[in-house]
Amino acid sequence: MTPVTVRVLPRALRFLRARTRVLLLMGGWSLLESAHTFLGGYSVAKALDDGFLAGRTSTGLSWLAVAAVAVVLGGLAGRGVFRGLAGLVEPLRDALVRGVVARALDEAVTDPARAADTAVVSRLTNQTELARDSFAGLVLVARSFVFTAAGALLGLVSLAPQLLLIVLPPLVAGLLLFVATLVPMARRQRAFLHADETLSAEFGAVAAGLRDVVACGAREEVAARANALIDAEERAARHLAGWAAARAVALGVAGQLPVLLLLVSAPWLLREHLTAGAVLGALTYLTQALLPALHTLMNALGSGGTRLLVVLDRLTRPAQTPGRGPDGAGGPRTDARVPGTDAARPVPAPGEDSEAPSGTGDHGSGDLDARRPARAPRSVRPSPGPPAGPRVELRAVTFAYGPAAQPVLHDLDLVVEPGEHLAVVGPSGIGKSTLTGLLAGLLHPVRGDVRVGGLPPGAAYGSDPARLRVLIPQQAYVFSGTVRDNLLYLCPDGAPTAALEATSHAVGLGPLLSRLGGMDARIDPATLSQGERQLLALGRAHLSPAPLVLLDEATCHLDPAAEQRAERAFADRPGTLIVIAHRISSARRADRILVLDGNRATVGSHSELLEHSALYRELAGNWQPERSH
């Protein structure tokens, strides 16, 4: 008996004892099904011997009618069995779900690091349904085989006892061969479920921190780890399939060999004064009852039974204690790893040297604890580059998301002068965010040329492109750390406290700082509203040395007054500002406005566009200055 069986069997017996009434009800219906099996073969034998071969057609038809009645009885028995089955299956599923939830809550309380354990999703959805379906199938086929075999063997004895000499030896040999495969198959099933759960946990962790993976430049490392887990699950599935193939051999011995022996020995049986009806009845028992029941039993026990055993063990195992692995062994857990980093790598404390990402200034709202915090502040803030900001140029730029896709931008020409404030407006999906992606170097045009300060947008002042431009998307990125860490995220050389305070005042961070407890207060990103996250991201971009700021609806969660204050802070800040506007008030604050309208683009002031652009007039008429997005 395997350790898994030792752990699961006592719980299974207690569960079944508590439902004795349901088991007795199913047993009663199964007896009726056994009678159906007995009458099936016996009626065929009598119809042939006492009816058709004896020249009594009416007697033969009567016995066939009995066989038909037996089929109806079997259908009624099956209906009753399925009614009782629900009394076993649904309580099991409910108990497993309650157990999984209770275990997850216990682990979250005793070890808060387990609170984000995404493997629990696999247990609640995939594994509980696997247990439910496997248990239902196992109960049905085990019950069916026992009562079908009893009816068939009783029928064989009633026809001729010597028939058992032909049927029983290969039947028993095949069953023993099949039983020998159960333990190794259970191990392979356990390995497969472990691989599936590990893959689910890894993908959950990666999905939660996907933007951090990109920001840290760890895409290749994370992809390599994910591919390794996929390969491991594939190997486990192949090994499991190999043992499943061994079932076919056992099934051939137990199910097909008795039929072959019966046919080969038919002449001898007839010489031993067995009737043709007895031989045909025996063949009916084998092909219509024993063989199908045996085939179903082996499939169910070989896959569903071992799967049920392993899943029940995983779902009913007690909650883990902190510092122990998923199997109770010591050592780090795989789910404690941070995607894209070494599991043993400590999180840098404020003041430690840490590289800032070379991508855009804001990457999303992932909340993983392990980030690349900004370097500690130094006494001098770096020069932000050219005071007036870079000149932005797009020459005949065309961009499409795929070779066969329609262009989002088509032959776009645009020049934004150094220090200019440009607002971009247009219907949803027209290409506004695509434009900021091109300017930030995240996207590359199919045709045309994009220049920022005379350089491609991916180029940098020195070695860091974040010194050239910063992009804040709608979903602001805030990581666990102090307010100071978050604001200095794009300042690789740090910034003095005076600059931090000036930025906080400019963008309106004062109330939030008071609530959190100052610059050195630690942030839990999950407790911040979307608007508070946007304010912190705006402060980070305002403090950065980048002379080009791209705000892609970066103020959509702020009220109009807070939005006006933040955009005014960026307008007063040296540099070039491009804003994807979602309110008419935001567009009117700009020096010029770019209206994107499919393949056309129009640039002008607010008054000029009201006169010359029908789309802008429509957008301006639909906007309400006081309404939040």
Side-chain angles (χ1 to χ4, degrees):
M1 187 175 292
T2 64
V4 175
T5 307
V6 172
R7 285 194 295 268
V8 173
L9 188 58
R11 299 190 186 100
L13 293 177
R14 287 195 300 270
F15 177 83
L16 293 176
R17 279 198 300 267
R19 288 155 183 83
T20 304
R21 181 177 176 277
V22 176
L23 292 174
L24 290 176
L25 177 64
M26 293 181 65
W29 286 110
S30 297
L31 281 175
L32 185 59
E33 189 175 23
S34 179
H36 149 251
T37 302
F38 173 81
L39 288 174
Y42 191 83
S43 298
V44 168
K46 290 297 182 181
L48 189 61
D49 289 339
D50 299 345
F52 301 120
L53 291 180
R56 294 189 289 271
T57 304
S58 59
T59 301
L61 292 175
S62 298
W63 278 110
L64 291 181
V66 172
V69 172
V71 172
V72 175
L73 291 177
L76 293 175
R79 181 182 178 185
V81 167
F82 274 99
R83 284 182 175 177
L85 184 65
L88 288 177
V89 171
E90 298 307 325
L92 174 68
R93 181 186 180 278
D94 294 343
L96 291 177
V97 169
R98 286 194 299 269
V100 170
V101 172
R103 173 184 170 187
L105 291 176
D106 289 344
E107 289 177 344
V109 171
T110 57
D111 184 6
R114 299 285 297 177
D117 180 15
T118 53
V120 74
V121 177
S122 174
R123 299 187 196 109
L124 274 176
T125 55
N126 185 34
Q127 294 187 29
T128 54
E129 289 304 317
L130 275 176
R132 176 183 179 275
D133 294 344
S134 299
F135 179 65
L138 190 61
V139 169
L140 283 177
V141 300
R143 172 209 57 82
S144 175
F145 176 76
V146 169
F147 287 94
T148 298
L153 293 176
L154 181 62
L156 288 173
V157 171
S158 66
L159 292 175
Q162 55 264 50
L163 290 172
L164 294 180
L165 297 176
I166 298 173
V167 172
L168 278 182
L171 178 65
V172 172
L175 287 174
L176 291 176
L177 178 61
F178 169 71
V179 170
T181 66
L182 290 179
V183 172
M185 192 161 189
R187 293 196 189 100
R188 296 302 182 184
Q189 186 70 59
R190 181 179 179 84
F192 175 76
L193 286 175
H194 178 69
D196 179 71
E197 188 174 293
T198 304
L199 185 62
S200 175
E202 175 74 8
F203 279 3
V206 170
L210 190 59
R211 294 178 178 178
D212 304 289
V213 170
V214 176
C216 295
R219 284 172 289 189
E220 292 184 2
E221 180 181 349
V222 171
R225 284 178 53 187
N227 289 335
L229 292 178
I230 293 172
D231 292 340
E233 183 170 9
E234 181 185 7
R235 287 194 300 271
R238 288 182 180 275
H239 292 153
L240 186 61
W243 283 104
R247 288 203 314 266
V249 177
L251 179 61
V253 173
Q256 303 292 344
L257 189 56
V259 175
L260 178 62
L261 292 177
L262 180 63
L263 293 175
V264 170
S265 60
W268 172 78
L269 292 173
L270 292 175
R271 287 196 300 270
E272 291 295 318
H273 307 294
L274 262 71
T275 64
V279 175
L280 182 59
L283 190 62
T284 301
Y285 282 128
L286 289 176
T287 58
Q288 301 300 315
L290 269 178
L291 181 57
L294 186 64
H295 185 279
T296 306
L297 176 71
M298 288 189 173
N299 282 333
L301 285 178
S303 57
T306 53
R307 181 170 60 236
L308 175 64
L309 193 64
V310 172
V311 170
L312 286 178
D313 178 56
R314 298 187 72 80
L315 294 181
T316 58
R317 185 175 297 168
Q320 300 166 18
T321 56
R324 300 187 71 82
D327 293 316
R333 297 185 301 267
T334 56
D335 59 314
R337 290 177 175 268
V338 178
T341 65
D342 190 286
R345 183 185 302 165
V347 178
E352 293 181 358
D353 194 17
S354 176
E355 292 184 2
S358 60
T360 61
D362 214 86
H363 298 281
S365 57
D367 294 337
L368 292 182
D369 289 338
R371 310 289 186 214
R372 291 189 175 185
R375 293 174 178 171
R378 298 182 182 176
S379 58
V380 180
R381 180 180 175 185
S383 170
R391 177 187 176 94
V392 175
E393 300 174 85
L394 291 90
R395 301 296 184 190
V397 169
T398 296
F399 179 85
Y401 289 96
Q406 290 293 324
V408 179
L409 300 175
H410 182 72
D411 287 337
L412 176 62
D413 291 301
L414 175 68
V415 175
V416 183
E417 297 297 339
E420 187 177 7
H421 177 184
L422 177 75
V424 182
V425 301
S428 178
I430 203 67
K432 303 185 296 295
S433 295
T434 300
L435 176 61
T436 60
L438 289 166
L439 296 178
L442 300 179
L443 303 173
H444 303 284
V446 177
R447 293 191 305 272
D449 189 33
V450 180
R451 295 282 168 172
V452 177
L455 301 172
Y461 283 92
S463 60
D464 188 356
R467 295 179 183 271
L468 175 64
R469 79 285 184 276
V470 56
L471 165 65
I472 306 182
Q474 183 176 355
Q475 297 298 324
Y477 170 45
V478 176
F479 58 85
S480 297
T482 66
V483 176
R484 188 186 304 272
D485 293 335
N486 273 272
L487 293 178
L488 291 172
Y489 189 69
L490 297 177
C491 293
D493 296 319
T497 301
L500 284 164
E501 293 175 349
T503 285
S504 300
H505 176 75
V507 301
L509 274 172
L512 179 59
L513 284 174
S514 298
R515 182 175 74 81
L516 295 176
M519 286 287 179
D520 295 313
R522 294 198 65 82
I523 295 174
D524 179 4
T527 64
L528 299 180
S529 69
Q530 293 290 342
E532 290 170 336
R533 292 185 183 208
Q534 285 190 334
L535 279 176
L536 284 170
L538 289 167
R540 177 190 305 144
H542 188 274
L543 188 65
S544 77
L548 171 62
V549 175
L550 307 168
L551 304 182
D552 186 0
E553 297 199 23
T555 59
C556 64
H557 295 293
L558 303 181
D559 60 64
E563 177 187 62
Q564 179 178 359
R565 178 170 183 170
E567 287 188 1
R568 183 66 63 190
F570 280 95
D572 293 341
R573 175 185 181 274
T576 303
L577 176 63
I578 298 178
V579 177
I580 305 301
H582 67 286
R583 293 188 181 102
I584 186 64
S585 55
S586 178
R588 295 186 67 171
R589 283 190 289 270
D591 299 324
R592 287 191 302 159
I593 302 168
L594 169 65
V595 182
L596 294 178
D597 184 8
N599 291 331
R600 295 176 297 170
T602 307
V603 181
S605 65
H606 173 70
S607 58
E608 291 172 343
L609 291 173
L610 285 177
E611 182 177 353
H612 299 294
S613 174
L615 175 60
Y616 185 76
R617 286 195 299 271
E618 180 182 353
L619 293 172
N622 290 332
W623 270 327
Q624 297 295 329
E626 71 282 2
R627 183 182 301 168
S628 297
H629 180 70

